[in-house]
């Protein structure tokens, strides 16, 4: 299993693109990358999960930790492009009530710039 | 139908001279809830122990995801076992550890996740089983049903592909027991796990089973879905469904032999 993570920053806007399977073995890599980005002040962190084919609870926990850091640093965070199975995990763990989740980049961008 | 996730072939097990399993052959498929049903002492739990690699067959084989747990190399076996969750009959929580530490233990032992990630995962699993806020409690401070739910949270800690439950409702009142059954159904739907349940509780079977294997006298005497089980004419199945007591006539000479042992032959 592997995961690829790409990050782009433009001013206060950060885009994190995650691709592949996020599990017990790959989530530490996601954690390292996303917490590095979440450390900035007053950022808008957009996380693209379009090509995440599997996410276990360690991946979900990593995103919760990132949200905690972003909130603490006065920023905000949005997830978008969740595949049906990944979305189900968020619903089961009731984290769909905790995260701002949008269907695609355009709607996530709209939320960030609103 | 997809390829079996668990394949059992001609499995025989003996305890001394007593043969418990007499050539069991079964296929369990991905994402199904498979119930192994049978009377106390029929070998249900023994069969489950074979599936999790805790017991060596006297004859036959058990493959889990194509791997024979007993002949697999140590690394392969460890990788496999990490993706198997087990809810033991007596919950098997460590009494000297808090509920949170019990649930976190597999992650601390088998992964390199940061403490913060482990803590969040632990709270997520406790929330899933309705035990949010109980992580600092000791097992002795919880009711039987809550301990069972905590043990279920621990079995789910590593996001298993296959969850084994040995008598999940044993010792619980009917309301708590049905709560555990509903929880298992919810988890199955969400995590798309294969669930293998050993039980003799018919109410539970009719609620959660996709397929049922009825064990009797070391053999599978019924294999099929709930509808077929209810209609099956096999006397062992009927006895189970209609809750009938044993009606075998007593063989007087055999009984006498049992009572007087070897001296019988000297009469």
């Amino acid at each position: 299993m592997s995961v690829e993570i790409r990050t782009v920053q433009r001013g206060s806007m950060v885009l994190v693109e995650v691709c592949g399977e996020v599990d017990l073995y790959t989530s530490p890599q996601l954690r390292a990358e996303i917490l590095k980005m979440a450390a900035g002040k007053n950022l808008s962190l957009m996380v693209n999960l379009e090509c995440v084919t599997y996410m276990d609870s360690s991946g979900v926990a990593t995103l919760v930790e990132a949200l905690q850091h972003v909130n603490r640093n006065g920023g905000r965070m949005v997830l978008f492009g969740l595949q049906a199975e990944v979305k189900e995990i968020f619903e089961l763990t009731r984290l769909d009530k905790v995260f701002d989740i949008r269907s695609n980049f355009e709607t996530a961008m709209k939320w960030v710039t609103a | 139908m997809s390829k079996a996730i668990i394949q059992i072939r001609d499995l025989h097990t003996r305890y001394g001279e007593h043969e418990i399993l007499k050539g069991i052959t079964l296929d369990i498929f991905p994402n199904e809830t498979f119930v192994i049903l049978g009377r106390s002492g029929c070998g249900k739990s023994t069969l489950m122990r074979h599936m999790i690699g805790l017991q060596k067959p006297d004859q036959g084989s058990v493959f889990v995801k194509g791997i024979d747990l007993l002949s697999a190399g140590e690394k392969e076996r460890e990788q496999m076992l990490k993706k198997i969750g087990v809810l033991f009959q007596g919950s098997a929580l460590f009494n000297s550890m808090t509920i949170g530490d019990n649930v976190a233990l597999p992650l601390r032992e088998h992964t390199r996740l940061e403490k913060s990630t482990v803590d969040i995962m632990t709270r997520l699993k406790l929330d899933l089983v309705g035990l949010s806020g109980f992580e600092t409690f000791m097992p002795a401070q919880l009711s039987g049903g809550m301990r069972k739910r905590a043990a279920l949270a621990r079995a789910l800690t590593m996001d298993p592909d296959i969850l084994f439950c040995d008598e999940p409702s044993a010792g619980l009142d009917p309301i708590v027991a049905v709560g555990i059954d509903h929880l298992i159904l919810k988890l199955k739907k969400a995590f798309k796990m294969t669930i293998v349940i050993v039980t003799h509780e018919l109410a539970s079977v009719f609620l959660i089973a996709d397929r049922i294997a009825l064990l009797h006298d070391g053999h599978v005497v019924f294999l099929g879905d709930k509808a077929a089980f209810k209609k099956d004419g096999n006397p062992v199945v009927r006895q189970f469904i209609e809750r009938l007591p044993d009606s075998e006539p007593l063989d007087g000479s055999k009984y006498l032999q049992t009572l007087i042992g070897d001296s019988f032959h000297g009469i």
Side-chain angles (χ1 to χ4, degrees):
Chain A
M1 288 190 185
S2 66
V3 68
E4 264 185 59
I5 298 152
R6 282 186 295 272
T7 56
V8 187
Q9 182 161 9
R10 295 278 181 273
S12 65
M13 209 170 291
V14 176
L15 176 65
V16 178
E17 286 192 346
V18 190
C19 254
E21 299 184 343
V22 187
D23 63 9
L24 294 170
Y25 306 99
T26 59
S27 62
Q29 191 188 337
L30 173 63
R31 183 179 183 275
E33 293 284 341
I34 205 166
L35 291 192
K36 197 162 66 186
M37 305 312 292
K41 297 282 177 198
N42 307 314
L43 292 176
S44 293
L45 185 67
M46 301 168 70
V47 184
N48 182 356
L49 300 175
E50 269 169 16
C51 55
V52 170
T53 50
Y54 173 81
M55 181 176 282
D56 72 5
S57 52
S58 70
V60 172
T62 300
L63 293 176
V64 170
E65 205 177 349
L67 179 65
Q68 184 190 11
H69 284 235
V70 167
N71 286 345
R72 196 186 293 153
N73 292 325
R76 48 201 217 138
M77 178 171 165
V78 60
L79 309 178
F80 67 92
L82 282 69
Q83 294 189 16
E85 291 192 358
V86 175
K87 202 171 179 184
E88 268 186 54
I89 296 291
F90 278 80
E91 285 166 1
L92 176 83
T93 50
R94 302 191 295 173
L95 290 173
D96 56 329
K97 306 281 184 265
V98 172
F99 283 98
D100 284 295
I101 297 175
R102 296 293 181 271
S103 56
N104 54 37
F105 177 76
E106 286 72 30
T107 50
M109 198 65 181
K110 211 169 168 183
W111 179 86
V112 166
T113 52
Chain B
M1 196 176 262
S2 55
K3 192 170 181 285
I5 194 166
I6 300 173
Q7 293 171 301
I8 302 167
R9 295 289 176 269
D10 193 30
L11 184 71
H12 291 257
T13 301
R14 289 174 196 88
Y15 291 133
E17 287 180 3
H18 197 52
E19 192 172 25
I20 301 291
L21 302 175
K22 303 173 181 172
I24 302 287
T25 292
L26 278 178
D27 282 324
I28 299 175
F29 296 98
N31 306 330
E32 74 171 335
T33 303
F34 191 88
V35 171
I36 300 166
L37 183 67
R39 298 172 60 172
S40 299
C42 75
K44 308 186 291 290
S45 298
T46 300
L47 181 56
M48 197 186 94
R49 280 199 294 277
H50 281 294
M51 287 190 252
I52 55 179
L54 288 178
Q55 197 160 335
K56 194 179 172 196
D58 289 299
Q59 188 185 320
S61 56
V62 178
F63 289 87
V64 180
K65 291 202 267 183
I67 293 170
D68 181 347
L69 285 173
L70 288 167
S71 63
E74 198 178 328
K75 202 172 175 188
E76 196 177 26
R77 177 183 154 86
E78 198 187 318
Q79 289 300 321
M80 174 63 68
L81 290 176
K82 279 181 190 173
K83 297 304 282 179
I84 287 176
V86 184
L87 172 61
F88 291 100
Q89 197 175 136
S91 296
L93 295 169
F94 289 100
N95 289 325
S96 57
M97 293 165 73
T98 64
I99 294 301
D101 285 337
N102 264 287
V103 175
L105 186 68
L107 294 169
R108 290 179 187 151
E109 290 290 316
H110 298 295
T111 74
R112 294 178 177 176
L113 296 172
E114 293 292 331
K115 182 183 178 303
S116 51
T117 310
V118 169
D119 288 348
I120 293 169
M121 287 174 76
T122 301
R123 291 184 201 117
L124 278 173
K125 300 290 155 128
L126 285 173
D127 184 68
L128 265 181
V129 300
L131 286 179
S132 263
F134 285 90
E135 61 188 280
T136 59
F137 281 58
M138 303 303 282
Q141 293 174 291
L142 302 185
S143 68
M146 290 165 96
R147 277 201 295 276
K148 195 72 91 171
R149 282 189 276 150
L152 189 52
R154 188 179 60 186
L156 295 169
T157 301
M158 302 279 283
D159 290 291
D161 299 329
I162 310 173
L163 175 68
F164 291 95
C165 303
D166 191 1
E167 303 276 8
S169 21
L172 303 177
D173 72 55
I175 309 296
V176 174
V178 80
I180 296 284
D181 289 340
H182 279 283
L183 183 56
I184 288 170
L185 279 178
K186 173 177 135 180
L187 295 171
K188 184 205 167 193
K189 184 173 177 284
F191 291 111
K192 296 174 177 62
M193 287 181 291
T194 305
I195 302 182
V196 180
I197 297 176
V198 162
T199 188
H200 57 248
E201 300 283 345
L202 267 189
S204 177
V205 173
F206 289 141
L207 184 65
I208 59 184
D210 290 323
R211 286 197 306 145
I212 300 161
L214 177 63
L215 283 194
H216 181 72
D217 193 26
H219 299 281
V220 175
V221 294
F222 172 86
L223 179 64
D225 63 18
K226 285 180 276 193
F229 184 73
K230 284 177 185 170
K231 286 188 288 190
D232 200 84
N234 183 312
V236 183
V237 175
R238 296 315 322 158
Q239 186 184 17
F240 231 99
I241 291 175
E242 289 157 25
R243 295 172 166 269
L244 300 172
D246 286 330
S247 57
E248 282 177 34
L250 187 66
D251 180 331
S253 60
K254 266 193 183 170
Y255 183 45
L256 179 61
Q257 188 174 358
T258 307
L259 293 178
I260 63 178
D262 287 344
S263 61
F264 176 76
H265 303 292
I267 291 174

